């Protein structure tokens, strides 16, 4: 009985570890452009798609993410919900969707060099006119119904895990640490994401350098924001660092001058 109980506990611990190392992420196509393909059926207009949302699952230690789903929304056509993608080569994913719009079956093909922020995406939807029972996803063929292009933007929801404040130039700066690392859309900045509200200057996002390999960014767990007065490049000043967990190990990022982070964001 003890042996069985021990085995069950071990199995549950393995399941728990696997679940904590898996991350589900949401991406959206920005700067998206879509249009009809070879087939133009009355009433089905695929121009000016409103959104394309991808759900991706990443497992720590696995360099190949899984594409879970794709939702395509159009102003003049019903939403296309795609599930069951199969990876075909290093940059191609395919899935069959039965009963899409007026068609018995359509093939959805997504081409992307990698499932990460900023990657270019091409989506093609084909009307299936020929297939094979042996491997239908690979062997399905037909004319293009619609084509869409865009760039991946991370829209995974984030939350505040810790807060802090400091006085800079006589005014209070409120700081809120987010639970995910982020990327600036307007500059080549990335790292720990901190919302800053500087009285009299407005609200900005600060990006504190994270000494972490890029491929591990999605598995970092920020847990605490540290704001301390210490010796910096300009004497005693407010320094910012972040306590985080990676691969089960608690670490602290190198302290960085808060004034310099504010200067980068506010341009002062």
């Amino acid at each position: 009985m003890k042996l069985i109980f021990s085995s069950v506990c071990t199995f549950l611990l393995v399941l728990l570890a696997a679940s904590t190392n898996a991350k589900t992420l949401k991406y959206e196509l920005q700067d998206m452009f879509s249009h009809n393909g070879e087939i133009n059926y009355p009433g089905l207009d695929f121009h000016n798609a409103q959104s394309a949302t991808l759900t991706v699952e990443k497992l720590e230690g696995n360099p190949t993410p899984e594409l879970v789903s794709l939702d395509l929304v159009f102003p003049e056509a019903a939403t296309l919900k795609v599930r069951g993608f199969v990876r075909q080569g290093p940059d191609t994913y395919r899935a069959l969707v039965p009963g899409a719009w007026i068609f018995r079956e359509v093939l959805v093909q997504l081409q992307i060099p990698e499932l990460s922020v900023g990657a270019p995406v091409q989506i093609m939807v084909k009307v299936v006119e020929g297939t094979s029972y042996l491997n239908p996803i690979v062997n399905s063929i037909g004319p293009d119904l619609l084509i869409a292009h865009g760039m991946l933007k991370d829209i995974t929801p984030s939350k505040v895990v810790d807060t802090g404040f400091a006085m800079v130039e006589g005014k209070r700066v409120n700081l809120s640490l987010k639970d995910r690392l982020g990327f600036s859309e307007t500059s080549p900045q990335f790292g720990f994401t901190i919302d800053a509200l500087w009285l009299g200057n407005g609200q900005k996002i600060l990006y504190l350098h994270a000494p972490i390999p890029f491929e591990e960014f999605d598995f970092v767990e920020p847990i605490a924001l540290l704001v301390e007065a210490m010796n910096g490049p300009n004497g005693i000043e407010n320094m910012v660092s972040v306590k985080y967990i990676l691969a089960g190990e608690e670490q602290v990022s190198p302290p960085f001058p808060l004034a310099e982070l504010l200067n980068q964001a506010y341009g002062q």
Side-chain angles (χ1 to χ4, degrees), residues 40-91:
N40 284 276
Y41 192 89
L44 284 179
D45 184 359
F46 300 114
H47 289 83
N48 304 315
Q50 290 177 310
S51 66
T53 305
L54 287 74
T55 302
V56 173
E57 186 171 89
K58 293 186 176 182
L59 188 64
E60 190 171 12
N62 186 347
T64 306
E66 178 187 356
L67 177 58
V68 178
S69 65
L70 167 66
D71 290 345
L72 278 168
V73 180
F74 302 92
E76 302 295 336
T79 298
L80 179 65
K81 297 180 178 293
V82 190
R83 308 293 185 267
F85 277 99
V86 175
R87 194 163 184 254
Q88 304 288 310
D91 61 355

Short mmCIF file of all heavy atoms in Angstrom, two decimals, residues 40-91:
data_model
loop_
_atom_site.label_atom_id
_atom_site.label_comp_id
_atom_site.label_asym_id
_atom_site.label_seq_id
_atom_site.Cartn_x
_atom_site.Cartn_y
_atom_site.Cartn_z
N ASN A 40 -14.08 33.62 -56.01
CA ASN A 40 -14.85 34.76 -55.51
C ASN A 40 -16.32 34.37 -55.50
O ASN A 40 -17.01 34.43 -56.53
CB ASN A 40 -14.63 36.00 -56.38
CG ASN A 40 -13.28 36.65 -56.13
OD1 ASN A 40 -13.13 37.44 -55.22
ND2 ASN A 40 -12.29 36.29 -56.92
N TYR A 41 -16.81 33.96 -54.32
CA TYR A 41 -18.20 33.53 -54.20
C TYR A 41 -19.04 34.70 -53.73
O TYR A 41 -18.65 35.42 -52.80
CB TYR A 41 -18.31 32.37 -53.21
CG TYR A 41 -19.65 31.68 -53.24
CD1 TYR A 41 -19.90 30.61 -54.10
CD2 TYR A 41 -20.68 32.12 -52.41
CE1 TYR A 41 -21.14 29.99 -54.13
CE2 TYR A 41 -21.92 31.50 -52.43
CZ TYR A 41 -22.14 30.44 -53.29
OH TYR A 41 -23.38 29.82 -53.33
N PRO A 42 -20.19 34.97 -54.36
CA PRO A 42 -21.03 36.11 -53.96
C PRO A 42 -21.39 36.06 -52.48
O PRO A 42 -21.82 35.03 -51.96
CB PRO A 42 -22.29 35.92 -54.84
CG PRO A 42 -21.82 35.14 -56.02
CD PRO A 42 -20.74 34.23 -55.50
N GLY A 43 -21.16 37.18 -51.82
CA GLY A 43 -21.50 37.26 -50.40
C GLY A 43 -20.36 36.92 -49.47
O GLY A 43 -20.47 37.12 -48.26
N LEU A 44 -19.25 36.38 -50.00
CA LEU A 44 -18.08 36.07 -49.18
C LEU A 44 -16.95 37.04 -49.53
O LEU A 44 -16.27 36.88 -50.54
CB LEU A 44 -17.63 34.62 -49.39
CG LEU A 44 -18.47 33.53 -48.74
CD1 LEU A 44 -17.90 32.15 -49.08
CD2 LEU A 44 -18.53 33.71 -47.23
N ASP A 45 -16.81 38.05 -48.70
CA ASP A 45 -15.78 39.06 -48.93
C ASP A 45 -14.74 38.95 -47.81
O ASP A 45 -15.04 39.17 -46.64
CB ASP A 45 -16.40 40.46 -48.92
CG ASP A 45 -15.39 41.55 -49.24
OD1 ASP A 45 -14.20 41.22 -49.45
OD2 ASP A 45 -15.78 42.73 -49.26
N PHE A 46 -13.51 38.60 -48.20
CA PHE A 46 -12.46 38.38 -47.21
C PHE A 46 -11.46 39.54 -47.13
O PHE A 46 -10.40 39.41 -46.54
CB PHE A 46 -11.71 37.08 -47.51
CG PHE A 46 -12.61 35.86 -47.48
CD1 PHE A 46 -12.86 35.15 -48.63
CD2 PHE A 46 -13.19 35.47 -46.30
CE1 PHE A 46 -13.69 34.04 -48.60
CE2 PHE A 46 -14.02 34.35 -46.26
CZ PHE A 46 -14.27 33.63 -47.41
N HIS A 47 -11.81 40.67 -47.72
CA HIS A 47 -10.96 41.85 -47.62
C HIS A 47 -11.08 42.45 -46.21
O HIS A 47 -12.10 42.32 -45.54
CB HIS A 47 -11.34 42.89 -48.66
CG HIS A 47 -10.99 42.49 -50.06
ND1 HIS A 47 -11.78 41.66 -50.83
CD2 HIS A 47 -9.90 42.79 -50.82
CE1 HIS A 47 -11.22 41.48 -52.01
NE2 HIS A 47 -10.08 42.16 -52.04
N ASN A 48 -10.01 43.14 -45.81
CA ASN A 48 -10.02 43.91 -44.56
C ASN A 48 -10.41 43.06 -43.35
O ASN A 48 -11.30 43.43 -42.57
CB ASN A 48 -10.95 45.11 -44.68
CG ASN A 48 -10.59 46.00 -45.85
OD1 ASN A 48 -9.43 46.31 -46.07
ND2 ASN A 48 -11.61 46.40 -46.62
N ALA A 49 -9.74 41.93 -43.18
CA ALA A 49 -10.00 41.09 -42.01
C ALA A 49 -9.84 41.92 -40.74
O ALA A 49 -8.92 42.74 -40.62
CB ALA A 49 -9.05 39.91 -42.00
N GLN A 50 -10.73 41.70 -39.77
CA GLN A 50 -10.69 42.49 -38.54
C GLN A 50 -9.60 42.01 -37.59
O GLN A 50 -8.95 42.81 -36.92
CB GLN A 50 -12.06 42.41 -37.85
CG GLN A 50 -13.15 43.16 -38.60
CD GLN A 50 -14.51 42.99 -37.92
OE1 GLN A 50 -14.91 41.88 -37.61
NE2 GLN A 50 -15.20 44.09 -37.70
N SER A 51 -9.42 40.69 -37.50
CA SER A 51 -8.39 40.18 -36.59
C SER A 51 -8.05 38.73 -36.91
O SER A 51 -8.85 38.01 -37.52
CB SER A 51 -8.86 40.27 -35.12
OG SER A 51 -9.96 39.41 -34.89
N ALA A 52 -6.86 38.35 -36.51
CA ALA A 52 -6.41 36.96 -36.58
C ALA A 52 -5.71 36.67 -35.27
O ALA A 52 -4.68 37.27 -34.97
CB ALA A 52 -5.48 36.73 -37.76
N THR A 53 -6.27 35.77 -34.47
CA THR A 53 -5.74 35.48 -33.14
C THR A 53 -5.22 34.05 -33.08
O THR A 53 -5.93 33.12 -33.44
CB THR A 53 -6.83 35.67 -32.07
OG1 THR A 53 -7.38 36.98 -32.19
CG2 THR A 53 -6.25 35.49 -30.68
N LEU A 54 -3.97 33.91 -32.63
CA LEU A 54 -3.35 32.60 -32.52
C LEU A 54 -3.17 32.24 -31.04
O LEU A 54 -2.77 33.09 -30.24
CB LEU A 54 -1.97 32.57 -33.20
CG LEU A 54 -1.89 32.58 -34.72
CD1 LEU A 54 -2.23 33.95 -35.27
CD2 LEU A 54 -0.49 32.18 -35.18
N THR A 55 -3.47 30.99 -30.70
CA THR A 55 -3.17 30.45 -29.38
C THR A 55 -2.00 29.49 -29.52
O THR A 55 -2.04 28.57 -30.35
CB THR A 55 -4.38 29.73 -28.78
OG1 THR A 55 -5.47 30.63 -28.70
CG2 THR A 55 -4.06 29.21 -27.38
N VAL A 56 -0.95 29.71 -28.73
CA VAL A 56 0.28 28.92 -28.83
C VAL A 56 0.63 28.36 -27.46
O VAL A 56 0.49 29.05 -26.46
CB VAL A 56 1.45 29.79 -29.36
CG1 VAL A 56 2.77 29.03 -29.31
CG2 VAL A 56 1.15 30.26 -30.78
N GLU A 57 1.06 27.13 -27.43
CA GLU A 57 1.52 26.53 -26.17
C GLU A 57 3.00 26.25 -26.26
O GLU A 57 3.47 25.62 -27.21
CB GLU A 57 0.76 25.25 -25.86
CG GLU A 57 1.09 24.67 -24.49
CD GLU A 57 0.19 23.53 -24.08
OE1 GLU A 57 0.54 22.38 -24.40
OE2 GLU A 57 -0.86 23.79 -23.46
N LYS A 58 3.73 26.73 -25.25
CA LYS A 58 5.18 26.50 -25.20
C LYS A 58 5.51 25.68 -23.96
O LYS A 58 4.97 25.92 -22.88
CB LYS A 58 5.93 27.84 -25.15
CG LYS A 58 5.83 28.65 -26.43
CD LYS A 58 6.71 29.88 -26.39
CE LYS A 58 6.68 30.63 -27.71
NZ LYS A 58 7.58 31.81 -27.72
N LEU A 59 6.39 24.71 -24.14
CA LEU A 59 6.82 23.85 -23.05
C LEU A 59 8.29 24.11 -22.79
O LEU A 59 9.11 24.07 -23.72
CB LEU A 59 6.59 22.38 -23.41
CG LEU A 59 6.80 21.36 -22.30
CD1 LEU A 59 5.81 21.56 -21.18
CD2 LEU A 59 6.69 19.94 -22.85
N GLU A 60 8.64 24.40 -21.54
CA GLU A 60 10.02 24.70 -21.19
C GLU A 60 10.94 23.55 -21.59
O GLU A 60 10.67 22.39 -21.30
CB GLU A 60 10.15 24.98 -19.70
CG GLU A 60 11.50 25.55 -19.30
CD GLU A 60 11.51 26.02 -17.86
OE1 GLU A 60 10.56 25.71 -17.12
OE2 GLU A 60 12.47 26.70 -17.48
N GLY A 61 12.02 23.89 -22.28
CA GLY A 61 12.97 22.88 -22.74
C GLY A 61 12.67 22.34 -24.11
O GLY A 61 13.49 21.65 -24.71
N ASN A 62 11.48 22.66 -24.65
CA ASN A 62 11.11 22.21 -26.00
C ASN A 62 11.21 23.39 -26.95
O ASN A 62 10.47 24.37 -26.82
CB ASN A 62 9.69 21.65 -26.00
CG ASN A 62 9.31 21.02 -27.34
OD1 ASN A 62 9.99 21.21 -28.34
ND2 ASN A 62 8.22 20.26 -27.36
N PRO A 63 12.12 23.35 -27.94
CA PRO A 63 12.30 24.51 -28.82
C PRO A 63 11.18 24.70 -29.83
O PRO A 63 11.13 25.72 -30.51
CB PRO A 63 13.62 24.18 -29.54
CG PRO A 63 13.68 22.68 -29.52
CD PRO A 63 13.04 22.25 -28.23
N THR A 64 10.27 23.71 -29.94
CA THR A 64 9.21 23.79 -30.93
C THR A 64 7.86 24.03 -30.26
O THR A 64 7.28 23.11 -29.68
CB THR A 64 9.13 22.49 -31.76
OG1 THR A 64 10.41 22.22 -32.32
CG2 THR A 64 8.11 22.64 -32.88
N PRO A 65 7.31 25.26 -30.31
CA PRO A 65 6.00 25.53 -29.72
C PRO A 65 4.90 24.82 -30.52
O PRO A 65 5.09 24.45 -31.69
CB PRO A 65 5.86 27.06 -29.84
CG PRO A 65 7.22 27.56 -30.14
CD PRO A 65 7.92 26.47 -30.87
N GLU A 66 3.74 24.67 -29.90
CA GLU A 66 2.59 24.05 -30.55
C GLU A 66 1.56 25.12 -30.90
O GLU A 66 1.17 25.92 -30.05
CB GLU A 66 1.96 23.00 -29.65
CG GLU A 66 0.72 22.35 -30.25
CD GLU A 66 0.00 21.43 -29.30
OE1 GLU A 66 0.51 21.23 -28.17
OE2 GLU A 66 -1.09 20.92 -29.65
N LEU A 67 1.13 25.14 -32.16
CA LEU A 67 0.06 26.04 -32.58
C LEU A 67 -1.27 25.36 -32.26
O LEU A 67 -1.63 24.35 -32.87
CB LEU A 67 0.17 26.35 -34.07
CG LEU A 67 -0.93 27.22 -34.68
CD1 LEU A 67 -1.01 28.57 -33.97
CD2 LEU A 67 -0.69 27.42 -36.18
N VAL A 68 -1.98 25.91 -31.30
CA VAL A 68 -3.21 25.28 -30.82
C VAL A 68 -4.42 25.68 -31.64
O VAL A 68 -5.26 24.85 -32.00
CB VAL A 68 -3.45 25.63 -29.34
CG1 VAL A 68 -4.75 25.03 -28.83
CG2 VAL A 68 -2.28 25.16 -28.49
N SER A 69 -4.54 26.98 -31.97
CA SER A 69 -5.74 27.43 -32.67
C SER A 69 -5.48 28.73 -33.41
O SER A 69 -4.52 29.46 -33.13
CB SER A 69 -6.91 27.62 -31.70
OG SER A 69 -6.64 28.67 -30.79
N LEU A 70 -6.38 29.02 -34.35
CA LEU A 70 -6.37 30.28 -35.10
C LEU A 70 -7.82 30.70 -35.31
O LEU A 70 -8.65 29.90 -35.78
CB LEU A 70 -5.68 30.09 -36.46
CG LEU A 70 -5.86 31.20 -37.49
CD1 LEU A 70 -5.19 32.49 -37.03
CD2 LEU A 70 -5.32 30.78 -38.86
N ASP A 71 -8.14 31.95 -34.97
CA ASP A 71 -9.47 32.51 -35.19
C ASP A 71 -9.34 33.70 -36.13
O ASP A 71 -8.65 34.68 -35.81
CB ASP A 71 -10.11 32.95 -33.88
CG ASP A 71 -10.49 31.78 -32.99
OD1 ASP A 71 -10.52 30.64 -33.49
OD2 ASP A 71 -10.76 32.01 -31.80
N LEU A 72 -10.03 33.62 -37.27
CA LEU A 72 -10.03 34.69 -38.26
C LEU A 72 -11.39 35.38 -38.27
O LEU A 72 -12.42 34.73 -38.46
CB LEU A 72 -9.73 34.14 -39.66
CG LEU A 72 -8.27 33.88 -40.03
CD1 LEU A 72 -8.20 33.07 -41.32
CD2 LEU A 72 -7.53 35.19 -40.20
N VAL A 73 -11.40 36.70 -38.05
CA VAL A 73 -12.65 37.46 -37.98
C VAL A 73 -12.71 38.43 -39.16
O VAL A 73 -11.75 39.19 -39.41
CB VAL A 73 -12.75 38.23 -36.65
CG1 VAL A 73 -14.06 39.02 -36.58
CG2 VAL A 73 -12.66 37.27 -35.47
N PHE A 74 -13.85 38.42 -39.86
CA PHE A 74 -14.05 39.29 -41.03
C PHE A 74 -15.30 40.13 -40.84
O PHE A 74 -16.26 39.71 -40.18
CB PHE A 74 -14.22 38.44 -42.30
CG PHE A 74 -13.06 37.53 -42.59
CD1 PHE A 74 -13.06 36.22 -42.12
CD2 PHE A 74 -11.97 37.97 -43.33
CE1 PHE A 74 -11.99 35.38 -42.38
CE2 PHE A 74 -10.91 37.14 -43.59
CZ PHE A 74 -10.92 35.84 -43.11
N PRO A 75 -15.33 41.34 -41.43
CA PRO A 75 -16.53 42.18 -41.32
C PRO A 75 -17.68 41.67 -42.16
O PRO A 75 -18.85 41.93 -41.86
CB PRO A 75 -16.04 43.56 -41.80
CG PRO A 75 -14.87 43.27 -42.68
CD PRO A 75 -14.22 42.05 -42.09
N GLU A 76 -17.38 40.93 -43.26
CA GLU A 76 -18.43 40.50 -44.19
C GLU A 76 -18.49 38.98 -44.35
O GLU A 76 -19.00 38.48 -45.35
CB GLU A 76 -18.19 41.14 -45.57
CG GLU A 76 -18.16 42.65 -45.57
CD GLU A 76 -19.49 43.27 -45.18
OE1 GLU A 76 -20.53 42.59 -45.35
OE2 GLU A 76 -19.51 44.42 -44.69
N ALA A 77 -17.97 38.23 -43.38
CA ALA A 77 -18.03 36.77 -43.44
C ALA A 77 -17.95 36.23 -42.02
O ALA A 77 -17.40 36.87 -41.12
CB ALA A 77 -16.89 36.22 -44.29
N ALA A 78 -18.50 35.04 -41.83
CA ALA A 78 -18.48 34.43 -40.50
C ALA A 78 -17.06 34.13 -40.05
O ALA A 78 -16.16 33.91 -40.88
CB ALA A 78 -19.31 33.14 -40.52
N THR A 79 -16.84 34.15 -38.74
CA THR A 79 -15.52 33.86 -38.18
C THR A 79 -15.10 32.43 -38.50
O THR A 79 -15.90 31.49 -38.39
CB THR A 79 -15.54 34.06 -36.65
OG1 THR A 79 -15.86 35.43 -36.37
CG2 THR A 79 -14.20 33.71 -36.02
N LEU A 80 -13.85 32.27 -38.89
CA LEU A 80 -13.29 30.94 -39.15
C LEU A 80 -12.49 30.51 -37.93
O LEU A 80 -11.51 31.15 -37.56
CB LEU A 80 -12.39 30.97 -40.39
CG LEU A 80 -11.73 29.64 -40.77
CD1 LEU A 80 -12.78 28.62 -41.17
CD2 LEU A 80 -10.71 29.83 -41.89
N LYS A 81 -12.90 29.41 -37.30
CA LYS A 81 -12.21 28.86 -36.13
C LYS A 81 -11.47 27.60 -36.56
O LYS A 81 -12.08 26.65 -37.03
CB LYS A 81 -13.20 28.55 -35.01
CG LYS A 81 -13.92 29.78 -34.47
CD LYS A 81 -14.89 29.41 -33.36
CE LYS A 81 -15.59 30.63 -32.79
NZ LYS A 81 -14.65 31.51 -32.06
N VAL A 82 -10.14 27.63 -36.40
CA VAL A 82 -9.29 26.54 -36.86
C VAL A 82 -8.63 25.85 -35.67
O VAL A 82 -8.03 26.51 -34.83
CB VAL A 82 -8.20 27.05 -37.84
CG1 VAL A 82 -7.50 25.88 -38.51
CG2 VAL A 82 -8.80 27.99 -38.88
N ARG A 83 -8.76 24.53 -35.62
CA ARG A 83 -8.14 23.71 -34.58
C ARG A 83 -7.44 22.52 -35.24
O ARG A 83 -7.64 22.25 -36.40
CB ARG A 83 -9.19 23.22 -33.56
CG ARG A 83 -10.08 24.32 -32.96
CD ARG A 83 -9.29 25.26 -32.09
NE ARG A 83 -10.15 26.23 -31.42
CZ ARG A 83 -10.43 27.43 -31.88
NH1 ARG A 83 -9.95 27.83 -33.06
NH2 ARG A 83 -11.19 28.26 -31.18
N GLY A 84 -6.65 21.81 -34.47
CA GLY A 84 -6.04 20.59 -34.99
C GLY A 84 -4.92 20.80 -35.99
O GLY A 84 -4.79 20.04 -36.95
N PHE A 85 -4.09 21.82 -35.77
CA PHE A 85 -2.97 22.07 -36.68
C PHE A 85 -1.94 20.95 -36.60
O PHE A 85 -1.67 20.40 -35.54
CB PHE A 85 -2.29 23.39 -36.35
CG PHE A 85 -2.97 24.60 -36.94
CD1 PHE A 85 -3.83 25.37 -36.17
CD2 PHE A 85 -2.75 24.95 -38.27
CE1 PHE A 85 -4.45 26.48 -36.71
CE2 PHE A 85 -3.37 26.07 -38.81
CZ PHE A 85 -4.22 26.84 -38.03
N VAL A 86 -1.36 20.64 -37.76
CA VAL A 86 -0.26 19.68 -37.86
C VAL A 86 0.93 20.40 -38.48
O VAL A 86 0.80 21.07 -39.51
CB VAL A 86 -0.64 18.46 -38.72
CG1 VAL A 86 0.56 17.53 -38.90
CG2 VAL A 86 -1.80 17.70 -38.08
N ARG A 87 2.08 20.29 -37.84
CA ARG A 87 3.28 20.97 -38.34
C ARG A 87 3.83 20.23 -39.54
O ARG A 87 4.08 19.03 -39.50
CB ARG A 87 4.33 21.05 -37.23
CG ARG A 87 5.47 22.02 -37.51
CD ARG A 87 6.21 22.32 -36.21
NE ARG A 87 7.24 23.32 -36.39
CZ ARG A 87 8.54 23.06 -36.41
NH1 ARG A 87 8.95 21.81 -36.27
NH2 ARG A 87 9.43 24.01 -36.57
N GLN A 88 4.06 20.99 -40.62
CA GLN A 88 4.60 20.43 -41.86
C GLN A 88 5.92 21.12 -42.17
O GLN A 88 5.94 22.17 -42.81
CB GLN A 88 3.62 20.63 -43.02
CG GLN A 88 2.24 20.05 -42.77
CD GLN A 88 2.27 18.54 -42.81
OE1 GLN A 88 2.79 17.94 -43.75
NE2 GLN A 88 1.69 17.91 -41.80
N GLY A 89 7.02 20.59 -41.70
CA GLY A 89 8.30 21.25 -41.94
C GLY A 89 8.55 22.33 -40.91
O GLY A 89 7.77 22.55 -39.98
N PRO A 90 9.65 23.07 -41.05
CA PRO A 90 10.06 24.04 -40.02
C PRO A 90 9.19 25.29 -39.93
O PRO A 90 9.19 25.96 -38.91
CB PRO A 90 11.50 24.40 -40.43
CG PRO A 90 11.52 24.16 -41.91
CD PRO A 90 10.63 22.98 -42.15
N ASP A 91 8.47 25.64 -41.01
CA ASP A 91 7.75 26.91 -40.99
C ASP A 91 6.32 26.82 -41.51
O ASP A 91 5.72 27.84 -41.84
CB ASP A 91 8.52 27.96 -41.80
CG ASP A 91 8.67 27.56 -43.27
OD1 ASP A 91 8.27 26.44 -43.64
OD2 ASP A 91 9.22 28.36 -44.04
#
